[in-house]
Amino acid sequence: MLCDIMKFLEFDDAGDFPFYRHNPRISKSGWFLLLLSVPIAYIVYAFVGTESEIIASILFCMVMLIPLLYFSGWDYSLMFRRPTKNEIILAVLLFAGYMIYSLTVGSVLDMVGLGGVVPESAEAMGVTIQSTVGLIFSMMGEELLKFIPLMFLMRVVYKFSNNLKLAVVISVTIVLIVFGLLHYWPPSNTLVSVLLLQGLGSMFEMYGYIKTKNIFVPYISHFLTDAVSFILILSGV
């Protein structure tokens, strides 16, 4: 059984990554606008979120998605495909893997006093029914927030090294570190906790994309993770 799971998780030939070798080509100004869409999406979410978390989540996603599709020549198949049965199974396995990882690492961090201060209520944690529904869009936004810099960094590293494996390793490492740091909000967490949980922990979703080249796979895994967490918080668990 374990051998079957390990074989299932092995990397396969799922096509190529887009953009990194001009497939298709994005101009320097195009990359600038794509990268700029990331902080703009954050700003829009911060301002609109005070009025409506659902609308804020939609805008957070669309501010990055629309420019990405535009510079892709509206060829969404470069990034999105209808998930196959195996891809859905993979997403669920990655979700389960992350939950086990986060519970284990989180418990260890709490034991050594590096887990941060956990708010006592759902309201204090910013978890509401609106924010839970908004996960449908905000989780795709977070995957795009990782995807756009990942493809840019791969393009830069590959341009100078002509080595795809090196481009993937360097780019993934940088993106995971930065993504973890974006979650650093003391005293609710610590630098170590965000680097291990949100940073290194995002390797589960990143693996799903690298294996399949289909953003829907990490999206499903990420959505399940946050949706289950939010529902448990709202339930008072």
Side-chain angles (χ1 to χ4, degrees), residues 4 16 19 28 34 41 46-47 77 106 118 150 184 188 204 209 216:
D4 291 337
D16 199 5
F19 312 122
K28 291 180 180 179
L34 275 177
F47 276 96
S77 65
V118 180
L150 177 67
Y184 182 48
S188 61
F204 287 88
Y209 173 71
F216 277 133

Side-chain angles (χ1 to χ4, degrees), residues 67-82:
L68 182 60
L69 290 174
Y70 173 79
F71 289 113
S72 303
W74 302 104
D75 184 3
Y76 63 87
S77 65
L78 292 170
M79 299 149 291
F80 305 100
R81 297 187 312 276
R82 184 172 67 178

Side-chain angles (χ1 to χ4, degrees), residues 172-235:
V172 166
T173 300
I174 294 173
V175 168
L176 293 186
I177 291 173
V178 173
F179 185 73
L181 293 175
L182 289 174
H183 291 80
Y184 182 48
W185 297 104
S188 61
N189 52 36
T190 65
L191 185 59
V192 174
S193 70
V194 297
L195 289 176
L196 289 179
L197 295 175
Q198 285 82 11
L200 183 59
S202 292
M203 190 64 231
F204 287 88
E205 286 99 18
M206 190 67 75
Y207 174 88
Y209 173 71
I210 294 172
K211 177 176 170 65
T212 65
K213 316 299 189 297
N214 182 3
I215 295 179
F216 277 133
V217 174
Y219 167 73
I220 293 171
S221 178
H222 200 167
F223 176 80
L224 287 174
T225 299
D226 281 46
V228 169
S229 299
F230 277 30
I231 290 171
L232 290 176
I233 292 171
L234 287 172
S235 302

Side-chain angles (χ1 to χ4, degrees), residues 145-164:
L145 181 147
K146 290 182 282 189
F147 176 78
I148 292 173
L150 177 67
M151 293 301 104
F152 172 74
L153 290 169
M154 283 184 60
R155 168 61 193 151
V156 172
V157 177
Y158 185 80
K159 178 180 179 181
F160 292 101
S161 68
N162 200 36
N163 186 322
L164 178 57

Side-chain angles (χ1 to χ4, degrees), residues 12-49:
D12 49 30
D13 184 15
D16 199 5
F17 297 99
F19 312 122
Y20 76 98
R21 57 180 181 86
H22 292 322
N23 52 326
R25 183 180 186 278
I26 296 181
S27 65
K28 291 180 180 179
S29 59
W31 279 119
F32 174 78
L33 292 174
L34 275 177
L35 292 172
L36 185 62
S37 72
V38 175
I40 290 177
Y42 257 104
I43 294 171
V44 169
Y45 182 84
F47 276 96
V48 180

Side-chain angles (χ1 to χ4, degrees), residues 1-114:
M1 180 66 177
L2 180 60
C3 292
D4 291 337
I5 294 176
M6 294 304 295
K7 185 175 181 180
F8 180 79
L9 292 173
E10 288 178 357
F11 286 105
D12 49 30
D13 184 15
D16 199 5
F17 297 99
F19 312 122
Y20 76 98
R21 57 180 181 86
H22 292 322
N23 52 326
R25 183 180 186 278
I26 296 181
S27 65
K28 291 180 180 179
S29 59
W31 279 119
F32 174 78
L33 292 174
L34 275 177
L35 292 172
L36 185 62
S37 72
V38 175
I40 290 177
Y42 257 104
I43 294 171
V44 169
Y45 182 84
F47 276 96
V48 180
T50 57
E51 300 296 330
S52 171
E53 291 193 50
I54 294 178
I55 294 177
S57 298
I58 294 173
L59 292 175
F60 176 63
C61 176
M62 292 302 168
V63 166
M64 291 179 283
L65 179 60
I66 292 174
L68 182 60
L69 290 174
Y70 173 79
F71 289 113
S72 303
W74 302 104
D75 184 3
Y76 63 87
S77 65
L78 292 170
M79 299 149 291
F80 305 100
R81 297 187 312 276
R82 184 172 67 178
T84 64
K85 177 182 177 181
N86 282 344
E87 287 177 339
I88 293 174
I89 293 174
L90 174 63
V92 174
L93 287 174
L94 294 174
F95 152 70
Y98 175 75
M99 294 300 289
I100 295 171
Y101 169 83
S102 63
L103 289 173
T104 303
V105 174
S107 297
V108 173
L109 290 173
D110 288 339
M111 288 174 59
V112 298
L114 293 174

